[in-house]
């Protein structure tokens, strides 16, 4: 396709000459005034503008000034046409932003050479800008994920602050929206608030979790987190004021705060906003020394501290948000937090003594092979002989931890590992997750033989359940794959066994299974069936436990909250089920899918209102409830979620769809 050149000159001979010289190599558009140039540019974007300087009404320099002011035209390359050969004119041409200038009358070879060079140079500039934009988006995505991880790492130091940074960020965003801030400033305060407590990384856990009054020394350690946070973030330039939020969010409006005792409006507005919502979250969250306070008590406290602890204008606006119910989020408060993005098991560098847990040959709790060592031995076995790979998962294990404590949960894992060690004999057995194991047996090539071994495992586990009361509510789910049938490489076999496990966990009556090709990613029809199933359960309130592939306590929390809100406000609800799937129908690596799920989770987090709620539904789906939303508004919400997802994920291999229906 020919490049487009716009020539602006009031002299018809000049226009005709330029068209004759350039017509073979370029598409030439000729206009004889600045006004006509503006009209053309309103509808078209040329690759180059040849602009005469001396024209009636609007001269070339005035046209150039208008181009520089408009974002649409600012980067268009311009070459001035002039009969004035003076040095002053040449300097002025470059000073106003021209790429080059060509003197009249035209020398054809010089003219063609300069135009070609300018267009090529602009092409290089656009290509570099495109590459820079792509790198910037990738850096922003990685940075946002890093921020989420850092914030969750800080919150994980205290069991009673689960989700604190995420909630403070969301509340700050809501307050900033009510204050009428720009979209950019609203986005900035979200991430500034996310990192406001980063300095607590340096505060001992024993001090953060102390249930009694702090000593003076301990209180100084706590106060020091503001200075430490500011120091950590001082060179972080992606979001403005990020270190300001960390440093000054404990200043008081009356000047009695810390670390510098700033007073009134001398406290940066960002810090005043974060300080207010930080206090609100502290009052409405459970603490080691007390239960969460009710909204009425919280509003009384805010009124009492108006003008002393907090900015009075901000308090008035924030109280109105509380009264409106704009801050009620199911998956924000720690009791209803649906699916935390942070997973401590994924932190690289976790150590025990001087040896990395990730590098250790044996699992420190069960004594079985570690995940990495197990994978290495299985890969070696696959190179020399065929075999069968099984993934074993403990159903309802989370319930044991919650009802009996993590010490008893560890005991359950040890008992299970003993069963596997006894039954599996010479096979390779390793622990791959908190409640997941992997077993490989060389030589098994038929499904019948694999089933015999599985039944042996299940029988031994059933016998152990009769002996150990804690195992009563635990079941084993097993996904199976066989080398040569389901693949030859370890990764192929693992994915097949994992998909088989997924389908087993969908059906409580089935304890084991092989992958039959129905796929890990839900089809549109399957996703619709999933949504119908959710609605049926929500209406019947029967059998919500164990019907899903994930532990579904989060769903129970969410449902109870939704029922409460619906009954109180008499609002109808829109139920949305978002599903991720492969763009071209190919297999998706599990790690890639989890990355996409985290991006979808963040996109939903950024897109919902204060009263909307959500939770994971499966390894590729997220369930959302929109409160009091009319059907015509659903599209706006879903479009926002989809746009945010693609912005965060960046890739094109995993796309997103959704199904929706009204509840009640």
């Amino acid at each position: 396709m020919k490049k487009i050149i716009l020539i602006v000159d009031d002299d018809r001979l000049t226009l005709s000459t330029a068209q004759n010289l350039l017509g073979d190599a370029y598409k030439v558009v000729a206009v004889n005034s600045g006004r006509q140039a503006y009209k053309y540019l309103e509808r078209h974007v040329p690759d180059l503008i040849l602009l005469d300087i001396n024209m009636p009404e609007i001269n070339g320099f005035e046209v150039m000034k208008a181009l520089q002011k408009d974002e649409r035209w600012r980067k268009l390359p311009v070459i001035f046409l002039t009969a004035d050969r003076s040095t002053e004119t040449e300097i002025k041409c470059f000073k106003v932003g021209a790429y080059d200038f060509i003197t009249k009358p035209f020398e054809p070879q010089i003219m063609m050479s300069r135009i070609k060079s300018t267009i090529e140079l602009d092409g290089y500039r656009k290509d570099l800008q495109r590459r820079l934009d792509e790198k910037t988006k990738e850096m922003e995505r990685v940075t946002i994920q890093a921020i989420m991880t850092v914030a969750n790492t800080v919150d994980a130091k205290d069991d009673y602050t689960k989700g604190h940074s995420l909630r403070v960020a969301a509340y700050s965003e809501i307050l900033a929206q009510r204050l009428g801030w720009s979209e950019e400033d609203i986005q900035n305060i979200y991430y500034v608030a996310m990192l406001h407590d980063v300095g607590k990384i340096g505060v001992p856990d024993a001090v953060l979790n102390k249930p009694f009054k702090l000593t003076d020394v301990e209180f100084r350690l706590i106060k020091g987190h503001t200075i430490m946070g500011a120091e950590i973030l001082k060179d972080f330039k992606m979001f403005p004021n990020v270190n300001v939020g960390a440093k000054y969010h404990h200043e008081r409006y009356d000047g009695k705060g810390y670390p510098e005792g700033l007073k009134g409006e001398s406290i940066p507005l960002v810090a005043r906003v974060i300080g207010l919502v930080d206090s609100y979250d502290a009052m409405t969250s459970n603490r080691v020394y007390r239960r969460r306070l009710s909204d009425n008590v919280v509003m009384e406290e805010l009124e009492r501290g108006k003008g002393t602890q907090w900015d009075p204008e901000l308090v008035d606006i924030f109280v109105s948000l509380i009264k409106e119910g704009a801050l009620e989020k199911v998956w924000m408060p720690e009791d209803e937090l649906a699916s935390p993005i942070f997973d401590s098991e994924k932190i690289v560098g976790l150590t025990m003594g001087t040896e990395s847990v990730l590098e250790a040959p044996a699992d420190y709790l069960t004594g079985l092979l570690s995940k990495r060592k197990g994978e290495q031995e299985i890969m070696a076995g696959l190179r020399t002989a065929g075999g069968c790979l099984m993934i074993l998962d403990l159903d309802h294990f989370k319930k044991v931890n919650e009802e009996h404590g993590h010490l008893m949960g560890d005991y359950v894992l040890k008992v299970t590992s003993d069963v596997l060690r006894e039954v599996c004999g010479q096979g390779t057995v390793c622990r791959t997750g908190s409640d997941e194991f992997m077993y490989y047996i060389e030589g098994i090539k038929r499904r019948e033989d694999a089933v015999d071994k599985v039944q042996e495992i299940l029988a031994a586990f059933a016998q152990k359940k009769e002996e150990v009361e804690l195992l009563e509510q635990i079941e084993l789910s097993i996904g199976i794959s066989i080398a040569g049938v389901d693949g030859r490489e370890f990764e192929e076999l693992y994915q097949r066994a994992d998909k088989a496990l997924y389908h087993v966990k969908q059906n409580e009556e089935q304890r084991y299974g092989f992958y039959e090709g129905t796929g890990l990613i839900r089809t549109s029809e399957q996703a619709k069936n999933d949504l119908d199933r959710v609605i049926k359960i929500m209406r019947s309130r029967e059998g919500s436990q164990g019907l899903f592939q994930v532990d579904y306590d989060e769903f129970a929390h969410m449902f109870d909250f939704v029922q409460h809100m619906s009954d109180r406000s008499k609002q109808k609800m829109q139920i949305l089920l978002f599903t991720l799937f492969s763009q071209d129908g190919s297999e998706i690596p599990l790690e890639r899918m989890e990355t996409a799920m985290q991006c979808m989770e963040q996109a939903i987090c950024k897109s919902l209102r204060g009263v909307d709620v959500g939770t994971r539904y499966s390894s590729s789906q997220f369930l959302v409830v929109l409160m009091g939303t009319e059907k015509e508004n659903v599209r706006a919400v879903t479009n926002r979620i989809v746009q945010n997802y693609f912005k965060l994920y960046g890739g094109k291999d995993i796309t997103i769809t959704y199904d929706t229906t009204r509840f009640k």
Side-chain angles (χ1 to χ4, degrees):
M1 185 178 294
K2 289 184 178 181
K3 298 291 185 180
I4 301 173
I5 297 178
L6 173 65
I7 306 176
V8 188
D9 198 306
D10 64 321
D11 182 59
R12 295 185 179 275
L13 179 61
T14 299
L15 293 177
S16 176
T17 302
Q19 284 181 309
N20 291 333
L21 286 173
L22 303 174
D24 291 339
Y26 303 98
K27 179 180 178 180
V28 181
V29 178
V31 298
N32 60 13
S33 70
R35 295 190 187 281
Q36 289 187 12
Y38 295 151
K39 289 181 180 179
Y40 176 83
L41 290 172
E42 287 291 342
R43 300 187 303 275
H44 309 282
V45 180
D47 296 289
L48 174 68
I49 300 176
L50 299 179
L51 180 61
D52 185 28
I53 294 178
N54 296 312
M55 295 184 295
E57 295 187 21
I58 307 174
N59 65 41
F61 290 128
E62 292 172 329
V63 172
M64 188 67 183
K65 187 176 180 180
L67 296 179
Q68 292 292 313
K69 286 183 178 180
D70 196 303
E71 187 65 32
R72 297 170 295 172
W73 308 329
R74 184 176 299 161
K75 294 183 179 179
L76 288 176
V78 175
I79 296 178
F80 274 120
L81 305 176
T82 179
D84 187 347
R85 299 172 180 265
S86 67
T87 303
E88 292 79 7
T89 299
E90 180 179 345
I91 292 173
K92 189 173 182 181
C93 287
F94 289 117
K95 186 176 279 189
V96 296
Y99 271 58
D100 206 342
F101 73 96
I102 298 173
T103 57
K104 302 177 184 179
F106 306 133
E107 173 59 44
Q109 290 185 345
I110 293 177
M111 184 179 190
M112 291 293 291
S113 176
R114 293 193 174 185
I115 288 174
K116 181 180 179 182
S117 296
T118 298
I119 289 177
E120 286 181 351
L121 182 62
D122 187 59
Y124 294 145
R125 179 193 64 77
K126 289 177 179 176
D127 184 59
L128 287 172
Q129 185 64 49
R130 178 186 60 79
R131 293 169 183 261
L132 178 61
D133 290 343
E134 290 176 355
K135 289 293 184 183
T136 300
K137 287 181 179 179
E138 176 65 17
M139 184 176 69
E140 287 179 354
R141 185 182 69 81
V142 172
T143 300
I144 289 170
Q145 290 182 339
I147 288 173
M148 299 290 286
T149 300
V150 169
N152 281 297
T153 302
V154 172
D155 292 349
K157 287 170 66 66
D158 181 354
D159 288 340
Y160 287 85
T161 59
K162 181 182 178 183
H164 168 72
S165 297
L166 192 63
R167 291 191 299 272
V168 170
Y171 297 149
S172 298
E173 182 180 48
I174 293 169
L175 181 53
Q177 289 171 343
R178 182 59 61 90
L179 291 170
W181 290 12
S182 69
E183 191 66 33
E184 182 179 0
D185 288 339
I186 291 170
Q187 183 183 50
N188 284 340
I189 198 171
Y190 182 87
Y191 293 111
V192 171
M194 187 80 75
L195 293 171
H196 77 284
D197 268 344
V198 69
K200 285 186 177 179
I201 286 177
V203 180
D205 293 359
V207 175
L208 288 175
N209 296 317
K210 186 175 180 180
F212 310 111
K213 183 178 179 181
L214 299 175
T215 66
D216 291 343
V217 173
E218 290 168 337
F219 189 48
R220 283 199 297 273
L221 284 173
I222 289 286
K223 292 197 295 184
H225 83 275
T226 56
I227 300 297
M228 186 176 296
E231 187 65 23
I232 291 171
L233 299 171
K234 67 179 181 180
D235 296 321
F236 190 87
K237 305 298 184 185
M238 179 164 286
F239 302 108
N241 299 316
V242 67
N243 64 323
V244 170
K247 186 173 183 178
Y248 297 118
H249 68 278
H250 280 295
E251 298 287 359
R252 288 172 52 106
Y253 202 74
D254 59 7
K256 296 179 181 179
Y258 61 87
E260 295 183 3
L262 300 181
K263 185 176 182 179
E265 295 188 2
S266 63
I267 306 169
L269 179 57
V270 165
R272 276 181 274 155
V273 168
I274 295 173
L276 172 59
V277 301
D278 182 54
S279 298
Y280 170 77
D281 186 65
M283 287 187 280
T284 55
S285 300
N286 292 326
R287 287 292 181 264
V288 70
Y289 49 84
R290 62 151 173 80
R291 294 289 295 172
R292 61 195 303 173
L293 304 179
S294 68
D295 279 353
N296 289 335
V297 173
V298 170
M299 287 189 286
E300 290 175 4
E301 288 296 321
L302 292 177
E303 290 291 343
R304 189 177 295 114
K306 187 167 68 173
T308 55
Q309 186 168 352
W310 305 292
D311 184 324
E313 292 185 12
L314 293 182
V315 169
D316 288 340
I317 296 171
F318 197 69
V319 167
S320 68
L321 289 171
I322 297 173
K323 291 179 179 178
E324 294 169 14
L327 307 178
E328 295 185 45
K329 287 176 177 276
V330 164
W331 62 306
M332 284 301 194
E334 73 271 288
D335 287 349
E336 295 89 16
L337 193 64
S339 183
I341 295 169
F342 172 78
D343 183 353
S344 60
E345 293 181 4
K346 296 178 182 176
I347 300 177
V348 176
L350 180 65
T351 60
M352 178 167 288
T354 58
E355 184 182 43
S356 170
V357 170
L358 296 179
E359 298 291 343
D363 174 58
Y364 71 93
L365 177 63
T366 64
L368 298 175
L369 294 179
S370 67
K371 178 182 179 182
R372 182 166 298 182
K373 182 64 174 176
E375 289 179 355
Q376 290 172 350
E377 291 201 2
I378 294 171
M379 290 177 191
L382 286 171
R383 284 194 291 268
T384 59
C388 172
L389 182 70
M390 302 180 189
I391 300 177
L392 305 93
D393 187 84
L394 292 176
D395 296 336
H396 315 308
F397 175 73
K398 181 180 178 183
K399 193 172 182 180
V400 173
N401 278 335
E402 290 177 346
E403 294 183 359
H404 303 284
H406 289 270
L407 188 61
M408 293 297 99
D410 288 349
Y411 178 69
V412 167
L413 291 172
K414 290 178 181 178
V415 170
T416 304
S417 66
D418 289 342
V419 171
L420 295 177
R421 190 181 289 108
E422 179 182 345
V423 175
C424 299
Q426 299 302 313
T428 300
V429 186
C430 61
R431 184 183 175 205
T432 58
S434 62
D435 58 353
E436 189 173 276
F437 302 85
M438 187 160 57
Y439 174 35
Y440 173 73
I441 327 110
E442 286 188 4
I444 289 185
K445 299 181 179 180
R446 299 189 315 142
R447 288 190 172 184
E448 293 82 356
D449 296 333
V451 169
D452 289 343
K453 177 56 71 173
V454 167
Q455 289 177 341
E456 186 181 349
I457 295 172
L458 292 175
F461 190 74
Q463 178 64 38
K464 186 62 68 174
K465 286 177 66 171
E466 294 180 4
E467 301 171 7
V468 180
E469 186 177 349
L470 272 175
L471 290 178
E472 183 178 355
Q473 50 195 325
I474 299 292
E475 296 289 349
L476 269 181
S477 291
I478 306 175
I480 317 165
S481 62
I482 297 178
V485 177
D486 300 304
R488 298 194 178 276
E489 300 297 326
F490 169 76
E491 188 62 33
E492 294 176 297
L493 293 172
Y494 184 89
Q495 287 189 14
R496 290 273 178 162
D498 186 67
K499 292 171 184 178
L501 178 65
Y502 170 82
H503 292 294
V504 168
K505 292 175 74 66
Q506 292 277 24
N507 185 351
E508 281 214 324
E509 297 178 0
Q510 186 178 353
R511 298 265 52 89
Y512 64 89
F514 299 84
Y515 176 59
E516 298 290 352
T518 51
L520 174 63
I521 308 306
R522 309 294 280 166
T523 66
S524 298
E525 184 60 32
Q526 288 170 324
K528 182 63 170 64
N529 292 339
D530 284 340
L531 186 57
D532 293 341
R533 192 178 183 196
V534 170
I535 295 300
K536 182 178 179 181
I537 292 171
M538 291 178 73
R539 285 178 175 150
S540 67
R541 286 310 311 269
E542 295 177 357
S544 63
Q545 290 295 330
L547 285 178
F548 299 92
Q549 165 260 0
V550 293
D551 288 329
Y552 228 64
D553 293 340
E554 291 87 356
F555 177 83
H557 285 310
M558 188 184 80
F559 178 79
D560 289 340
F561 180 82
V562 169
Q563 281 286 82
H564 170 72
M565 287 292 293
S566 177
D567 293 342
R568 189 177 72 177
S569 61
K570 305 301 180 184
Q571 291 180 330
K572 294 182 178 179
M573 298 170 288
Q574 293 287 342
I575 313 296
L576 286 75
L577 185 64
F578 289 89
T579 302
L580 294 177
F581 62 94
S582 171
Q583 181 72 30
D584 58 7
S586 62
E587 300 286 346
I588 301 172
L590 299 179
E591 296 81 0
R592 190 70 176 168
M593 175 57 74
E594 180 57 25
T595 297
M597 274 296 289
Q598 290 187 13
C599 291
M600 178 167 70
E601 202 163 0
Q602 294 176 35
I604 291 171
C605 172
K606 285 286 295 170
S607 304
L608 298 188
R609 303 164 304 163
V611 295
D612 300 328
V613 298
T615 184
R616 282 201 184 197
Y617 174 79
S618 73
S619 60
S620 60
Q621 294 172 305
F622 205 97
L623 186 68
V624 172
V625 179
L626 302 181
M627 299 294 298
T629 302
E630 295 300 325
K631 188 173 182 180
E632 57 268 20
N633 295 326
V634 172
R635 182 172 295 276
V637 176
T638 54
N639 286 345
R640 190 160 64 242
I641 290 172
V642 171
Q643 290 171 6
N644 283 335
Y645 164 75
F646 282 113
K647 181 179 179 182
L648 287 168
Y649 181 61
K652 297 180 179 179
D653 56 329
I654 302 179
T655 190
I656 185 173
T657 187
Y658 69 91
D659 290 285
T660 179
T661 189
R662 174 168 286 190
F663 177 71
K664 203 169 182 178

